[in-house]
Each structure stands twice: as C-alpha cells, then as structure tokens.
Amino acid sequence: QVRLQESGGGSVQAGGSLRLSCTASSRIEYMAWYRQAPGRQRELVARLGIGGALNSADSVRGRFTISRDVDKNTVDLQMNNLKPDDYGVYFCNANPGWHAYWGQGTQVTVSP
C-alpha cells in the first residue's frame, strides 16, 4: 500500500511563496499535486512522470514548478507569486497506472 505525506502548507499574502513537499512510501511512475477549494471541483495543479512527462494547469503555469527526487520518492511544488484564487487544500497524488493514491492534504491560504 502506498502512503503519501504532505507538508509545507500555510498562509501567505498575495505575491508570496510556499513550497509543498510530498514523500511517498515507494517509487511511483506519476506523482502530482491537486487542489480543492470550497465549492469547487478538485483540479490538477501539476503532474510529473519519472520520464519527465509534465502536465500543469494553465492558471499556475509560469508561477508554480513541480519537481521530483526519484531516489527519495518525493515530489515538491514550488509556488511563487501566489494569488487569492490559489487557496484550497492541496493533495499529493501518486498513480502507478492501476490505482490512484492520495495524501491527507495540506491547507494553502492566500490573503489579498
């Protein structure tokens, strides 16, 4: 069973930065960050495969950067120039191709 642990959430003012980290219990082909705000659907923020395949939301492109340390089973999300609309619970996701695993989530709040 794959377990995911996130950290790095917090509260910042618009324009600030946060770095989220996720550690998996094993190596997974695809790891990603999703987010969900109250009243909104959970959405993909960014996903990165071991081979370098990258997907990211248009709303964060140019501001957020996803990176992995495959040897340490970690995936990080560097979030710069945060906007109030970036608020929500951010979830680490791992998908080996047959099942999706989720972390508990970490809260991100951005004040105007």
Side-chain angles (χ1 to χ4, degrees):
Q1 184 176 0
V2 176
R3 294 176 294 276
L4 305 173
Q5 295 184 345
E6 307 112 323
S7 64
S11 299
V12 298
Q13 291 186 325
S17 298
L18 288 171
R19 186 176 183 88
L20 308 182
S21 296
C22 174
T23 301
S25 58
S26 62
R27 177 180 295 183
I28 306 296
E29 177 67 23
Y30 288 98
M31 297 190 70
W33 285 96
Y34 287 73
R35 67 186 180 188
Q36 186 169 22
R40 301 181 182 182
Q41 295 181 333
R42 186 173 298 185
E43 65 173 348
L44 173 70
V45 178
R47 177 173 54 233
L48 184 61
I50 290 178
L54 173 67
N55 289 291
S56 61
D58 291 342
S59 61
V60 307
R61 197 164 298 131
R63 299 187 297 120
F64 293 8
T65 301
I66 187 171
S67 60
R68 298 184 62 167
D69 188 328
V70 177
D71 292 335
K72 296 182 178 179
N73 300 328
T74 62
V75 59
D76 292 353
L77 185 69
Q78 178 66 47
M79 304 185 294
N80 297 326
N81 192 24
L82 282 159
K83 302 177 179 180
D85 199 47
D86 294 320
Y87 86 98
V89 178
Y90 283 67
F91 297 91
C92 183
N93 167 270
N95 194 326
W98 59 86
H99 187 70
Y101 300 90
W102 297 93
Q104 298 299 309
T106 183
Q107 179 73 46
V108 171
T109 301
V110 186
S111 60

